[in-house]
Amino acid sequence: MRLLLRTQEEEEEAGWDYASADTKTHTHCYHIYPAMMIPQVARRLIHTYGKGAELLLDPFCGSGTSLVEARLAGLNAVGLDINPFAVLLARTKTADYDPILVRKQAHALRNYVDDLLKHGIQPEPPQFFNIDYWFKPEAKRDLALLRYAIEQAIPTETRDFFLVAFAATVRESSNTRLDEYKLYRIPESKLHAYTPRVFETFWERVGRNLRGLEEFFQERVPATHVQVYERDLRQGIPLPTATVDLIVTSPPYGDSQTTVAYGQFSRLVLQWLGYDDDTAKSIDRRALGGKIAPVQARYESPSLVTALEAIAQACPKRAKQVKQFYDDFALCFPEITRVVKPNGYACFVVGNRTVKGVRIPTDQILIEIASCFGWRHLTTHHRNIPNKRMPLRNSPTNKAGELSPTMTEEHIVILQKQP
Ligand SMILES: C[S@@+](CC[C@H](N)C(=O)[O-])C[C@H]1O[C@@H](n2cnc3c(N)ncnc32)[C@H](O)[C@@H]1O
């Protein structure tokens, strides 16, 4: 495994905040994603708990931060996510595209787009629910042209690289408020003054992502590989028993309805990429805690019981929803435990959110749940979430602008599987 430049003493002194760190190096710059892990945190966890490790698993891989860091550190990696857009990002960020080839293709694509524009060719935009509510006519027209050009001019082997830049362009040229991860429209009063810049945005993205690719391509360990599956973790992990050395992951903070709405964040992009409305809209319902179901995993967590009792006093329905998330989370543990080698490590980055004024100690609840499945708690590191990364402020009522400062701190819980 490659060594970090900082010594262990320097790391300890610096803490885990990484407030001024550049989090957009390598392919980490490709696309934002809600509640992304800090690359520096993943890197340090791999360095500290992955000595001699060969295989890393991120069972909630999102945009693939820990998978990218695995390749840079010389580990193979496997990622799972229920959200097809997360899977696209994670696959693309860890792929071995040759930057020289991609640069040539970008050049060819540009010429092709110019030709289409010169000849007034206007491909049909997709027809999905409410497209005219979310996109101005000119944005819809230019995005349709770009989408068509990528399809025609770029071979399938490298197409995802361009689709990720296209995805960022969809988001930035839509009528959504970019300061929210949930879907909120720019107010009518401001919409008329807003001019989407589809082509400029796309070429800026392609250029920036190419620089990230070059850095990644140079520094990744070529012999390593990454496999990413679109999968609900509760349905199992496609790996043999006792094959994983290290888990580095950040699970969802709670159900998507009331915390981070990964599905809402991804919906418009997925619709532009050709996913049907149902798939694009159902992600949050299908994610952990998405719908009420009978308890299936046996676990005990006194800290959860205490928190639920307090929430139930204010709102029994909310208590039930919160419980569902942890029931679903516990359901993932038999599989997580099965695939990890004896004495293997699991590093979970979690946040303690507040519901109905009650702080839910997820770090402690996680330790209690994991202990029911044969895990020992080693230590917990704490990190302050710098102001510039406040996606964790959420709207508890789903109302635009109604923020609750639920999390200013993250907890990095380190567990070891009992032999
Ligand atoms: C906090 S995010 C992970 C972010 C990631 N560490 C990154 O840096 O981008 C949690 C992820 O869990 C995924 N998720 C939720 N329920 C899931 C399930 N049942 N199976 C697999 N993934 C799930 C969500 O789609 C989301 O991408």
Side-chain angles (χ1 to χ4, degrees), residues 310-346:
I311 297 168
Q313 287 192 348
C315 177
K317 190 170 164 225
R318 283 301 288 125
K320 210 169 161 188
Q321 288 167 337
V322 170
K323 180 173 182 301
Q324 186 62 51
F325 172 77
Y326 292 98
D327 286 354
D328 286 352
F329 189 40
L331 209 48
C332 302
F333 264 85
E335 268 299 272
I336 287 179
T337 310
R338 179 186 68 78
V339 297
V340 174
K341 293 177 183 169
N343 292 317
Y345 294 100

Side-chain angles (χ1 to χ4, degrees), residues 103-231:
R103 196 171 280 284
K104 275 190 194 146
Q105 291 176 337
H107 194 68
L109 180 64
R110 203 167 187 143
N111 289 338
Y112 189 71
V113 167
D114 286 348
D115 272 357
L116 292 177
L117 288 170
K118 204 162 73 198
H119 292 100
I121 291 170
Q122 188 45 73
E124 272 299 301
Q127 308 244 322
F128 58 78
F129 179 68
N130 260 349
I131 187 169
D132 295 317
Y133 180 78
W134 292 113
F135 295 90
K136 289 194 161 190
E138 56 275 28
K140 207 168 103 172
R141 179 196 63 206
D142 294 350
L143 285 169
L145 188 136
L146 258 185
R147 177 79 184 87
Y148 173 82
I150 294 169
E151 199 82 40
Q152 296 301 311
I154 304 293
T156 45
E157 294 77 25
T158 48
R159 195 175 291 158
D160 286 350
F161 176 87
F162 293 93
L163 289 180
V164 165
F166 175 75
T169 311
V170 166
R171 179 173 162 77
E172 285 182 35
S173 3
S174 69
N175 297 340
T176 47
R177 282 169 44 173
L178 294 180
D179 56 348
E180 302 273 357
Y181 284 137
K182 290 187 176 175
L183 274 177
Y184 295 123
R185 196 164 182 252
I186 297 171
E188 206 68 53
S189 56
K190 292 193 180 150
L191 207 54
H192 71 279
Y194 157 65
T195 317
R197 299 160 42 247
V198 171
F199 295 115
E200 284 106 311
T201 306
F202 179 72
W203 296 120
E204 269 167 25
R205 289 287 158 169
V206 168
R208 194 193 64 172
N209 292 1
L210 248 166
R211 290 190 291 280
L213 172 61
E214 278 159 359
E215 195 180 3
F216 176 73
F217 193 76
Q218 248 178 25
E219 292 180 26
R220 97 278 186 234
V221 176
T224 54
H225 53 84
V226 170
Q227 192 75 38
V228 187
Y229 298 96
E230 183 189 323
R231 204 173 171 113

